[in-house]
Amino acid sequence: MILPKYSEFCGRVKTLSGASALEAIPGELKKMNSKKALIITDKGVESAGLIKIVKEAISKKGSKLTVGAIYDETPPDSDYKVVNSVASIYRNKNCDSIIAVGGGSVLDTAKGVNILVSLGGDNVLAYSGAGAVKQRLKPLVAVPTTAGTGSEMTLVAVIADHDRHIKMTFVSYFLLPDIAVLDPRMTKTLPASITAFTGMDAMTHAIEAYFCLGKNPMSDTTAFKAIQLVSKNILNAVKNPGDMESRLAMANAAALAGIAFSNSMVGLVHNLGHATGAVCHVPHGVCMSIYLPYGMEYNLHKVGDLIGELLYPLAGPEIFAKTPKKQRPRATIDYVRGLNEELKKATGGRHATALKDILDREGKQMVPRDAIPVIAKNAMGDGAKTYNPEEQSFDDNIMVIEAAWEGKPLDLKKIKKGPKNQKF
Amino acid sequence: MNIDKYPELKPGKKYIKRYYVAIMLWIVGRAIQAACRLDKEVIKEFSELPEKFTFSLGVLPDGPFMIIGKDDKGRAKYMGWNKGRTRFPLEMNIKSLEAAIKVFTFQEGTATAFARERFIVDGDLGYALAVVRVLNIIEVYLLPKIITKLAVKRYPRWSEFSPLRKWVNRILIYIRAFTF
Amino acid sequence: MQKKAFYSFFNQSKYLAGARALEHIPIELHSYDAVRPLVIATKDVTASGFKKIFVKAFYDSDVTIGGFYDNVGGTAAISTIKELRILFHDRGCDSIIALGRGPAMDTAKGLNMLVSLGVDDIFTLEGEDTISTPLKPFFTVPTAGSCGYDMSNMAVIEHHRFKSDFLFPDVVCLDPRMTGIKDIGRAVESAMVALTHAMEASDSTMHNPMNDAYSLAAIQFIHENLPRALKCPRNREAALALAYANALAAVAFSNAPAGAAHILGEALNKLTGNDPGVCMAILLPHATEFMVGKDILMRDELLLAQAGMDAHASTPEKDRIKESENQLKKLMASAIKYVPANLKSLRIPPYLIEQAAREAEASGSHGLTFKDYMTILNNAGKAPAVR
């Protein structure tokens, strides 16, 4: 195992996992002296009937926990005004903990609300920046409803100021949820295509965590486990949506991948993925699954050995043993491409494998060819590139995005290569 | 127990290391100011930053720092080392003096230092990345290739960075950085 | 993975590991709004020069060390803790850093309960989950050789046991200047405790992917680095990796029920005074053998952690468990100078062995009976002296 010269690791979230994990929430909150919870969620989650399940689960016999209020109007882009107003609901109803049910934006909103109600004040923006929050906050329970983002394990909250068109980031270990609840009932109703790309999102977190610059021993083992779980379960979860075992395994994988990537950070795939999402409004997971093989190809000369090791959790020990060491990096990349193809088949073509094939609801192409330079430019301002093993210039970005647009493998000869064999 | 046996220990100072980092920050700051009048890439990076943009780069908890701002013409200006209690739109801080020594003796490149969590960035990350790109270019100018190669991910090739540009600008930056 | 079973997992600690980790402590304290830690250290710390390095790491920071108590002996004592409370309040401290070996950590945990919860007698908190509010920021800086509890969610003070998630250290700082091996025998003993904890946590029928990530990492670290440390105790990288393994194993242990080798090892330690690491090391191969025989699974993934991907993949599936046992025996054999191969060489009278088995049965694990424990002990007693 590689022990870097210096590394940090923190996975300070209590994980509850299982087919009836939701039922354990009251007990855990009781340990933290909480009696009345505010549920924060969005319309999509509410209309899928998930809030009903949560409410039933936490008011089972013997539970002393009551629900103070339910806020279900969280916008898809968390906004500071929403945060401020939800905080006043919390105060008016005398709540003493938050249960966030939903994806990234719900959790970001909940983190913002938690800052305000714990530390006081009317405007959450006063606490923005790195390390401005220096105290333990009130209990926060995260119930993810997609198995992919891993945001239940991250210490960052992004809250937008739509008047000034800026996104404020809040970074502190105290923003980590106290409890993450992984319950397969929350992901059971996800449509096949979303299961596919959120699963590949988790896979991308884990794979990038394994070879990017911030890797450390614990991010390695968590990433390794996550890749194993995704690889074994993703196709089954897509084909048999009701299979609770696969659903739970995927939720576990997403959480593990979340721990891995929030401690080791990520590289080119996320860098270009964020940019593509920002410019063309493509869902995050879709970009991830498309760019993933390119991210590996681009860094092949620096971290080829590590990429080769990934064949083990992806394809299993038999294939790993059969493949000669030299061919393993290539085999890993081919395996990921193959997995994407299979997912494409399993979702009836909805799981795109090239940028040009991404279609929106009306069947319109989402990433036009002339958006490539804009994406490449946008990517220059995204933090993930810092942790990519190889340098990324504007021209490099163009090259990679063009290949991903066409869906053709990268021409390895065209990559400008720094010194080989990355040291950590 | 006689509690006087276990006295309070006030933190001491490491003067030599502090001065070393202060001098390095001064040189880098002056060099950025000079490069922003010579190198087209640095000029471009700065032109894309917002008006009146200021940032600080330094060592926690209390310095030394380097403060760079944009002047009226949109060029970089070295604005000294004394940060006081002012807050800047972008603050890039190294967590400790020893970590700063690692960075400024080029044992850890900027990317490595970021990966090893030596830095705390407060402010817009996009601007921070522009600053990092500028710092990388400055390193190419100020230091011999053999050292810079250790500190950056990929040393620029001839096609990206012609030797003529490198040497002419290198000499000019050195002259301007050390003259007033 | 047992997908249907419910599990919960928690680890509070943040790890800082590697070059100049100590110098990062002030900024970590800062993130808790703490500026005056009380440092609690074991006696050996000053003599071996650790104190000087530690204090110097705070130079050029805004952290004042409220007091540096370097007089913790072989075990944590309540009288010391009560005296430290006076020191803590007198200097207006707001956080605690424990430096050195296990007793310092236990003392610090005891003090933290005392000063954070405002109780007069911490023994009223004995047992599990008796604390419901967070304690003051608590950092640890371990030196080589741990007792296995120091970085866990447990504290042992004068044979009283405390277990709560709030007892986890907030930050564990592993600096190669501190973790360097001074006494290889002690380092081997603590690696054996860690190995036992990690193996039994990943081996248990209650394993889960989160805990596996910790226990398998610890096992891999020990298998890779213990031989290196034995060959050259001054190898700083190997020593750091072993210290990291101790920390990770403590987490795995905190989140899993104790296994047979651990329980028996502790019982023997209490009855005979032999080092728990030595006892566990002797018992571990026999306990795992017994568990495999009983079909309380020894999992295939263990070999992956022990021997790496290539060895695991090239071993046929049916042979992996056997090979895993061989790997364990091989590791024990390499440390034979410090841990004997059988219980006989510890010269423990038979009545004490029986008593250990009885005590083990009383504490209960995997539903093993007195007879089962006796089988393990007898096998360990009979084993040939040379592996």
Side-chain angles (χ1 to χ4, degrees):
Chain A
M1 193 151 39
I2 294 172
L3 182 61
K5 281 266 178 317
Y6 180 80
S7 65
E8 294 184 0
F9 176 84
C10 179
R12 195 175 284 168
V13 180
K14 182 157 196 171
T15 314
L16 308 176
S17 156
S20 54
L22 287 170
E23 275 81 353
I25 295 177
E28 290 295 332
L29 281 179
K30 199 181 151 208
K31 278 190 207 164
M32 292 186 264
N33 292 329
S34 161
K35 293 187 188 76
K36 202 174 189 186
L38 169 70
I39 296 181
I40 300 180
T41 184
D42 61 29
K43 278 277 185 269
V45 173
E46 154 73 15
S47 62
L50 299 182
I51 295 303
K52 214 180 126 214
I53 302 176
V54 173
K55 258 172 72 183
E56 272 170 19
I58 60 177
S59 46
K60 275 260 159 72
K61 242 206 269 165
S63 157
K64 295 243 168 66
L65 186 70
T66 53
V67 176
I70 297 175
Y71 181 83
D72 62 1
E73 285 167 38
T74 311
D77 232 359
S78 46
D79 183 279
Y80 82 99
K81 283 183 195 152
V82 173
V83 170
N84 296 348
S85 66
V86 179
S88 54
I89 299 178
Y90 182 106
R91 287 175 183 141
N92 290 340
K93 300 278 180 189
N94 287 323
C95 298
D96 52 18
S97 59
I98 301 174
I99 301 177
V101 188
S105 139
V106 168
L107 194 55
D108 281 349
T109 306
K111 285 173 181 170
V113 173
N114 207 14
I115 296 175
L116 271 188
V117 298
S118 307
L119 305 181
D122 296 322
N123 194 347
V124 70
L125 295 183
Y127 296 99
S128 71
V133 178
K134 291 182 181 180
Q135 284 171 42
R136 287 180 209 264
L137 306 180
K138 297 266 165 73
L140 170 62
V141 181
V143 185
T145 53
T146 56
T149 58
S151 56
E152 65 271 20
M153 297 292 176
T154 55
L155 60 156
V156 185
V158 180
I159 295 167
D161 180 344
H162 285 107
D163 304 335
R164 289 192 290 159
H165 300 288
I166 47 171
K167 285 187 169 176
M168 306 297 279
T169 44
F170 299 72
V171 189
S172 163
Y173 278 103
F174 296 109
L175 293 183
L176 280 169
D178 297 282
I179 300 169
V181 184
L182 312 174
D183 193 309
R185 283 172 287 175
M186 293 292 105
T187 51
K188 198 176 85 179
T189 51
L190 277 185
S193 63
I194 297 185
T195 306
F197 73 66
T198 50
M200 286 309 282
D201 186 11
M203 176 83 102
T204 310
H205 290 326
I207 289 186
E208 281 215 295
Y210 200 79
F211 68 73
C212 283
L213 293 181
K215 84 188 237 108
N216 60 69
M218 278 309 296
S219 77
D220 282 356
T221 47
T222 42
F224 191 92
K225 282 261 147 208
I227 298 169
Q228 246 177 351
L229 288 173
V230 176
S231 188
K232 272 186 197 155
N233 292 288
I234 189 166
L235 276 170
N236 193 31
V238 169
K239 287 178 188 161
N240 309 311
D243 185 332
M244 298 298 248
E245 283 198 16
S246 291
R247 289 292 190 189
L248 182 56
M250 291 299 288
N252 267 281
L256 283 161
I259 296 180
F261 95 91
S262 60
N263 280 288
S264 85
M265 309 311 285
V266 281
L268 175 129
V269 182
H270 278 78
N271 176 249
L272 297 183
H274 290 157
T276 312
V279 174
C280 303
H281 307 287
V282 184
H284 180 67
V286 177
C287 308
M288 293 294 112
S289 62
I290 293 175
Y291 283 121
L292 178 56
Y294 297 95
M296 291 195 266
E297 278 173 335
Y298 189 75
N299 293 304
L300 205 53
H301 58 284
K302 285 220 168 186
V303 288
D305 288 350
L306 294 173
I307 293 173
E309 285 177 11
L310 291 174
L311 186 63
Y312 189 98
L314 275 169
E318 282 71 34
I319 294 178
F320 182 83
K322 264 187 233 148
T323 317
K325 194 166 182 224
K326 265 198 167 159
Q327 291 167 20
R328 280 176 194 160
R330 199 68 251 173
T332 306
I333 297 167
D334 292 342
Y335 190 91
V336 171
R337 285 221 162 89
L339 187 60
N340 268 335
E341 287 298 334
E342 280 191 58
L343 288 170
K344 191 175 181 179
K345 247 187 259 161
T347 54
R350 303 272 311 273
H351 185 82
T353 53
L355 290 178
K356 64 176 179 187
D357 297 336
I358 308 173
L359 306 175
D360 61 8
R361 287 217 182 106
E362 281 104 50
K364 241 177 68 199
Q365 191 182 41
M366 288 185 87
V367 186
R369 197 170 180 129
D370 49 11
I372 293 177
V374 190
I375 298 172
K377 176 82 206 152
N378 188 300
M380 295 301 283
D382 183 88
K385 76 190 274 277
T386 321
Y387 304 97
N388 195 57
E390 182 55 275
E391 187 62 78
Q392 270 177 267
S393 69
F394 178 76
D395 296 339
D396 299 329
N397 289 350
I398 295 269
M399 178 186 70
V400 178
I401 303 168
E402 274 181 350
W405 196 83
E406 294 283 356
K408 284 186 193 146
L410 271 188
D411 182 355
L412 296 188
K413 284 191 202 112
K414 275 197 196 153
I415 299 168
K416 289 179 222 140
K417 297 182 179 79
K420 283 180 183 171
N421 298 333
Q422 180 69 44
K423 287 197 179 65
F424 291 93
Chain B
M1 179 170 76
N2 176 12
I3 62 169
D4 295 333
K5 246 176 88 185
Y6 309 103
E8 192 175 281
L9 302 166
K10 286 227 159 34
K13 293 251 182 257
K14 296 173 179 169
Y15 289 103
I16 295 175
K17 286 180 175 167
R18 231 178 131 84
Y19 286 133
Y20 176 78
V21 173
I23 291 168
M24 290 303 279
L25 281 170
W26 181 81
I27 296 174
V28 171
R30 297 275 307 173
I32 291 177
Q33 177 176 316
C36 200
R37 285 154 178 78
L38 293 164
D39 184 274
K40 56 180 190 302
E41 262 184 72
V42 178
I43 293 171
K44 189 162 162 279
E45 291 291 357
F46 265 91
S47 69
E48 284 169 10
L49 292 170
E51 294 261 319
K52 306 256 180 218
F53 179 79
T54 345
F55 77 91
S56 72
L57 171 68
V59 186
L60 289 176
D62 52 8
F65 292 98
M66 150 188 116
I67 299 151
I68 304 267
K70 267 176 89 164
D71 63 10
D72 300 334
K73 289 178 194 152
R75 293 180 307 193
K77 189 169 186 312
Y78 175 70
M79 293 164 59
W81 55 271
N82 193 355
K83 186 163 162 280
R85 295 203 158 268
T86 353
R87 297 264 294 170
F88 296 104
L90 173 68
E91 295 186 0
M92 296 168 69
N93 291 319
I94 304 177
K95 283 182 179 173
S96 75
L97 187 64
E98 288 295 338
I101 286 288
K102 288 239 177 235
V103 174
F104 287 106
T105 53
F106 313 103
Q107 296 174 54
E108 287 181 4
T110 8
T112 319
F114 265 95
R116 293 184 187 162
E117 311 198 32
R118 306 287 197 194
F119 275 91
I120 297 180
V121 175
D122 208 347
D124 191 315
L125 211 57
Y127 301 151
L129 292 172
V131 172
V132 169
R133 283 195 291 274
V134 170
L135 287 175
N136 282 346
I137 297 171
I138 297 295
E139 270 180 54
V140 172
Y141 280 131
L142 289 184
L143 301 169
K145 185 171 175 179
I146 194 164
I147 296 175
T148 313
K149 258 179 126 169
L150 299 175
V152 298
K153 286 185 196 170
R154 178 174 79 199
Y155 198 80
R157 300 175 169 198
W158 277 37
S159 55
E160 294 171 276
F161 217 97
S162 73
L164 185 71
R165 169 184 160 201
K166 186 164 96 182
W167 280 100
V168 171
N169 282 356
R170 178 177 281 177
I171 292 163
L172 289 173
I173 286 173
Y174 262 109
I175 293 171
R176 289 206 185 177
F178 288 102
T179 52
F180 288 89
Chain C
M1 167 192 176
Q2 293 176 313
K3 295 174 189 92
K4 275 193 182 140
F6 172 80
Y7 78 80
S8 82
F9 173 84
F10 183 64
N11 171 29
Q12 165 78 15
S13 306
K14 174 178 182 179
Y15 302 97
L16 319 176
R20 304 282 165 197
L22 281 177
E23 275 82 356
H24 282 243
I25 291 181
I27 203 85
E28 293 293 334
L29 282 171
H30 204 255
S31 76
Y32 284 87
D33 236 353
V35 286
R36 286 177 80 85
L38 176 68
V39 181
I40 297 171
T42 33
K43 274 179 190 158
D44 55 324
V45 157
T46 310
S48 38
F50 288 144
K51 181 179 176 180
K52 219 170 131 192
I53 302 170
F54 182 86
V55 171
K56 233 179 164 180
F58 288 78
Y59 278 23
D60 279 288
S61 75
D62 47 6
V63 171
T64 304
I65 296 172
F68 194 111
Y69 181 82
D70 51 359
N71 206 10
V72 177
T75 53
I78 188 69
S79 54
T80 319
I81 293 173
K82 285 199 167 149
E83 282 178 343
L84 281 170
R85 173 166 64 171
I86 301 169
L87 187 60
F88 186 91
H89 288 310
D90 185 69
R91 300 281 160 75
C93 294
D94 50 16
S95 50
I96 302 171
I97 303 178
L99 166 65
R101 292 184 295 106
M105 318 280 177
D106 282 336
T107 306
K109 285 175 184 177
L111 174 66
N112 204 0
M113 288 191 269
L114 209 54
V115 295
S116 305
L117 302 172
V119 287
D120 256 337
D121 180 10
I122 54 169
F123 292 136
T124 55
L125 299 167
E126 193 178 346
E128 250 181 75
D129 282 338
T130 51
I131 307 173
S132 65
T133 47
L135 308 181
K136 298 223 184 280
F138 166 45
F139 291 19
T140 62
V141 184
T143 53
S146 100
C147 62
Y149 290 108
D150 28 10
M151 283 160 279
S152 73
N153 60 355
M154 278 165 257
V156 184
I157 298 160
E158 295 184 354
H159 294 298
H160 296 264
R161 277 166 193 274
F162 303 82
K163 181 169 178 170
S164 162
D165 281 346
F166 295 110
L167 289 177
F168 270 122
D170 292 298
V171 171
V172 173
C173 175
L174 303 162
D175 191 302
R177 288 168 291 177
M178 295 286 159
T179 55
I181 294 172
K182 292 245 157 43
D183 174 356
I184 180 72
R186 177 165 282 287
V188 172
E189 282 157 14
S190 65
M192 289 301 167
V193 175
L195 185 67
T196 306
H197 287 168
M199 291 263 294
E200 296 195 324
S202 72
D203 199 25
S204 94
T205 41
M206 302 205 7
H207 73 88
N208 64 63
M210 291 281 172
N211 215 15
D212 281 356
Y214 284 82
S215 57
L216 296 179
I219 295 170
Q220 195 176 348
F221 263 147
I222 293 171
H223 270 267
E224 282 173 5
N225 292 289
L226 188 60
R228 284 170 77 197
L230 282 164
K231 213 182 215 172
C232 172
R234 276 187 304 182
N235 185 332
R236 277 188 164 197
E237 205 190 53
L240 179 65
L242 286 178
Y244 212 148
N246 285 342
L248 299 178
V251 176
F253 177 60
S254 303
N255 283 284
H262 168 85
I263 292 177
L264 283 174
E266 287 278 291
L268 284 176
N269 162 251
K270 212 172 111 192
L271 294 170
T272 66
N274 281 304
D275 186 272
V278 171
C279 300
M280 288 182 204
I282 297 172
L283 290 164
L284 184 60
H286 302 284
T288 45
E289 201 175 354
F290 180 81
M291 295 299 212
V292 173
K294 271 239 165 184
D295 247 9
I296 301 175
L297 289 175
M298 168 97 164
R299 290 173 316 132
D300 159 313
E301 272 168 74
L302 276 180
L303 181 60
L304 177 61
Q306 289 171 322
M309 293 181 199
D310 280 303
H312 178 259
S314 59
T315 312
E317 208 176 330
K318 59 177 179 11
D319 299 338
R320 283 190 193 139
I321 291 175
K322 194 84 225 139
E323 181 56 29
S324 180
E325 287 180 54
N326 288 340
Q327 286 286 343
L328 178 61
K329 284 187 185 139
K330 221 168 89 190
L331 183 75
M332 295 296 179
S334 72
I336 192 81
K337 221 172 119 190
Y338 306 99
V339 280
N342 59 15
L343 274 185
K344 218 189 292 164
S345 38
L346 297 183
R347 295 175 207 286
I348 301 171
Y351 80 95
L352 280 182
I353 293 209
E354 263 182 47
Q355 201 178 332
R358 222 167 283 125
E359 285 191 9
E361 188 189 22
S363 61
S365 158
H366 299 303
L368 293 189
T369 61
F370 172 72
K371 229 175 99 195
D372 296 334
Y373 285 117
M374 277 313 285
T375 320
I376 297 173
L377 286 166
N378 284 335
N379 289 345
K382 284 202 299 265
V386 187
R387 283 199 176 103

